[in-house]
Amino acid sequence: MTEGNFVDYVKVHVTSGKGGQGSKHMRREKYIPKGGPDGGDGGRGGHVILKANKNLWTLYHLKFKRHFKAEHGLHGSKQTSTGADGADVYVEVPLGTVVRDKETEEILFELTEDGEEKIVAKGGRGGLGNAHFKTATNQTPRYSQPGEEGEEIDIILELKILADVGLVGFPNAGKSTLLSVITAAKPKIANYEFTTLKPNLGIVEYRDFKTFVVADIPGIIEGAAEGKGIGHRFLRHIERNSTLLFLVPADAPDIKEQYEVLVDELRRYNPQLLDKERLVAISKSDMLDDELKAEMKKILDKQFKGIPYMFISSVAQQGLTELKDKLWKMLN
């Protein structure tokens, strides 16, 4: 999937159908001069329903169609015939879609299971026909109920990627390169910052035909939680990951400081993110010789107390098997 086709945020206008009007019909048949009221009820207006589909990965199909309107219910008729219900409209969305009211910003619901359905705009009820209003003292009611109006609402659909592992790091830390090496994904890779503009997903094939999903999140910079850079737009995708893999390049001026900045941005965005399992991978470690690596380990052992870390190199294929083993153990 190209970057231009990845859409994770759309605004949609939905309108449900109006209920049909109840009938005021009076029975008129030969030999039955005073048949009385026999008006039927109106049909229900159509709902607008959101349905989760595991085969969708993005909201791209909603980029150009943003208005959905359900059918109105039909009016009731004679012989207490109920009008037909308006046809429901189904809008399919990928798993992990959060639905919020555009005006209030309130989260209405989220869809996380394949085939799950939620009504976002309820169709109006059909009106009662005059057959419902006949009584001993009112034997010929010549009135019926109108159908209820449908609902009209602007909603925001927000996709949060469902991945097992989220790659977190500064721009140009080697996230896309790692994803391209351990999965079959082909993200854009170049030697400049913000190469990745949209999240990329890859499936890691592990031993005994086991797999897990890794998401490459666009680079986070200091101040991302306040809207700096582009990382803040994609921090929501990290909320779904059960494990966070922090990537810090071996040539960083201060590895621990870069890690702390990343953790602080996640904390400011959503403190619950810090409850997730964490692993630090020091990328581009093929630049280090054994002596320098040993010296760095002495320093990092003191700095990363209780936080697991490891040296890897995507280009030189160093430490990747150990990385997969560690991630699998953390996920299970």
Side-chain angles (χ1 to χ4, degrees):
M1 182 181 294
T2 63
E3 286 185 346
N5 288 349
F6 183 87
V7 178
D8 60 352
Y9 183 95
V10 291
K11 295 174 184 175
V12 177
H13 183 84
V14 296
T15 309
S16 62
K18 179 183 176 182
Q21 183 172 342
S23 171
K24 306 172 187 173
H25 191 267
M26 301 299 251
R27 189 175 180 190
R28 293 284 183 269
E29 290 181 46
K30 197 175 182 182
Y31 308 120
I32 306 176
K34 296 180 181 179
D38 70 344
D41 303 339
R44 168 185 64 77
H47 302 316
V48 179
I49 301 169
L50 295 188
K51 184 176 181 179
N53 184 344
K54 67 179 180 182
N55 297 316
L56 293 175
W57 288 87
T58 170
L59 297 168
Y60 180 76
H61 62 294
L62 300 176
K63 186 176 179 180
F64 305 105
K65 180 173 171 57
R66 301 197 176 186
H67 291 263
F68 294 91
K69 190 172 185 178
E71 286 185 358
H72 298 315
L74 298 184
H75 299 328
S77 58
K78 60 185 179 180
Q79 296 179 334
T80 60
S81 295
T82 302
D85 293 341
D88 297 331
V89 169
Y90 285 85
V91 183
E92 294 198 328
V93 295
L95 304 186
T97 301
V98 175
V99 183
R100 55 173 86 231
D101 189 316
K102 185 186 168 189
E103 281 190 20
T104 63
E105 292 286 327
E106 176 195 356
I107 293 177
L108 304 176
F109 53 82
E110 49 191 300
L111 299 157
T112 55
E113 293 180 18
D114 185 41
E116 187 179 358
E117 296 179 7
K118 296 275 189 181
I119 297 173
V120 69
K122 210 170 183 178
R125 286 186 303 179
L128 298 176
N130 63 350
H132 284 276
F133 302 107
K134 61 184 179 185
T135 63
T137 54
N138 184 15
Q139 296 181 359
T140 54
R142 298 182 186 275
Y143 52 84
S144 63
Q145 280 184 337
E148 284 185 359
E149 292 291 334
E151 296 177 350
E152 195 168 351
I153 184 173
D154 286 301
I155 58 172
I156 293 171
L157 301 179
E158 220 173 65
L159 175 62
K160 295 183 181 180
I161 286 175
L162 294 169
D164 301 305
V165 179
L167 297 181
V168 184
F170 281 97
N172 214 20
K175 300 185 297 298
S176 298
T177 307
L178 176 62
L179 188 75
S180 70
V181 171
I182 63 173
T183 75
K186 293 179 174 59
K188 184 180 176 184
I189 299 169
N191 190 26
Y192 56 84
E193 296 185 348
F194 297 116
T195 317
T196 305
L197 297 175
K198 299 287 171 71
N200 289 305
L201 284 180
I203 298 173
V204 178
E205 292 184 358
Y206 191 59
R207 301 169 187 181
D208 302 326
F209 305 103
K210 300 185 181 98
T211 59
F212 58 92
V213 182
V214 175
D216 169 21
I217 311 298
I220 298 169
I221 65 169
E222 194 167 359
E226 278 77 50
K228 291 183 182 177
I230 60 169
H232 71 287
R233 289 167 49 197
F234 305 110
L235 283 171
R236 64 174 169 271
H237 294 299
I238 301 172
E239 292 179 358
R240 301 285 189 198
N241 309 145
S242 56
T243 300
L244 300 180
L245 176 59
F246 290 82
L247 245 67
V248 183
D251 58 351
D254 189 328
I255 291 173
K256 183 65 162 50
E257 186 184 342
Q258 282 210 3
Y259 167 75
E260 291 293 349
V261 171
L262 293 168
V263 170
D264 188 52
E265 289 306 320
L266 298 186
R267 181 189 294 114
R268 284 153 73 182
Y269 176 73
N270 182 354
Q272 292 180 349
L273 293 177
L274 302 186
D275 296 335
K276 298 179 183 293
E277 291 268 4
R278 283 180 256 171
L279 173 63
V280 181
I282 298 159
S283 61
K284 307 180 185 179
S285 59
D286 54 310
M287 298 186 295
L288 308 173
D289 57 27
D290 293 339
E291 190 180 340
L292 185 55
K293 201 180 282 188
E295 285 182 22
M296 287 179 69
K297 275 184 178 178
K298 288 179 185 177
I299 299 169
L300 294 174
D301 283 340
K302 294 176 183 175
Q303 293 179 334
F304 285 101
K305 285 181 181 175
I307 304 166
Y309 74 90
M310 59 199 313
F311 290 90
I312 65 163
S313 171
S314 304
V315 175
Q317 305 268 318
Q318 293 174 3
L320 299 184
T321 304
E322 292 84 351
L323 177 66
K324 290 182 190 178
D325 289 340
K326 185 71 176 172
L327 290 172
W328 182 259
K329 192 176 178 183
M330 293 169 78
L331 291 170
N332 294 276

